[in-house]
Amino acid sequence: MTKLNSLTFTLASNNYGYGHLKRMINLNTELKINDIKNKIIYFSKKKIIDYKKSKKINFTQIDKFLSKKNISFCILDLSNRVFFKKKIFDNLISLFVKYRTPLIIFDDFSNKIWKILNIINQKSYVVCPYIYKNNFIKQKKKYFLNLKVGPKFAILKKISPQIKKNTKLKNILISCGGSDFKNLTHKLIIVLKKYKKLKVSVIIGPHFDKFEKIKINKLKSDNVKIFRNINNILPIAKKHDLAIISSGLTKYELLSINMNFAVISENKSFYEFHKPFAKKKLCYDLGYFKNSEKLGDKINFLINDYEKVFKSKIRKKLVDFKGANRIVGLIKNNFN
């Protein structure tokens, strides 16, 4: 079998978040196991970085990489409305058109990508490892013929499930991503500190606003513990009865270990994206933040009726840790 060579293009910054890069690092591990060579290149706020070398590169170098005949395919994990509007994104797309590069694209249903796939005329794939409305996917499949959808394509590190020992709520973990751009962590701590019998753990991401960090640190007490710059939330989450998280990819990680969790969305737009997941009754839904009083009421109900709330939750094995392996299967079957 011919050895495959590939490039991954993704995002990583306070503006874009770090979930894209984390996912591509996990996928890269599986590619390496399967003898598929892959270089990760990511766009920060103002620079283009070669991940392995931690070195700045430019478009001339990217052009040279793609011009090599041994590049079998490229992976794009770039889905971000702000990034899509930048000229740098258009320049990158023009290179794929120039070299007719086969693509594996994560989370991108944009018209621009649809047109590019038609121009490239190669067997490319769009992968969306989330829960969507059925009608939405039905419509997208009319245009994106090679569409792979659902949590079975989620790229997660394998970890054993949580073994539930407590039926009563004793400790809660708060995690609102790497940057928490809506400052939900502080708001959640304020609400939960009122429950003196509960132990609260808080994860402060590496890109929190410095003033928010100061405010959160002031809330540290005997029943509020703070963790910083955690690479993997799952080993910590497993030690808690409940996690309250923002509406990103973490919910799929927690689902994979059968964790009880509640989701608060950062705004109405994020909530609309999260809604199909919430309707599956896989978590307790806190909606999106409107004001502290309404948030307090919802959390009060959750805490007082904890056993009842999660007893009624439908537990489905939607995540099996084989997502990366399935994607590698697509690669081997189509890009050799």
Side-chain angles (χ1 to χ4, degrees), residues 242-243 245 251 254-255 259-263 277 282-284 310:
L242 171 71
I245 62 170
K251 60 193 175 191
L254 296 182
L255 189 62
M259 180 86 187
N260 289 341
F261 62 98
V263 175
F277 184 98
L282 299 164
C283 65
Y284 179 76
F310 285 100

Side-chain angles (χ1 to χ4, degrees), residues 76 89 93 105 108 110-117 144:
L76 310 186
F89 177 65
I93 292 300
I105 303 162
D108 191 351
S110 66
N111 289 332
K112 184 179 291 185
I113 283 296
W114 177 68
K115 291 176 183 177
I116 295 310
L117 292 180
F144 299 90

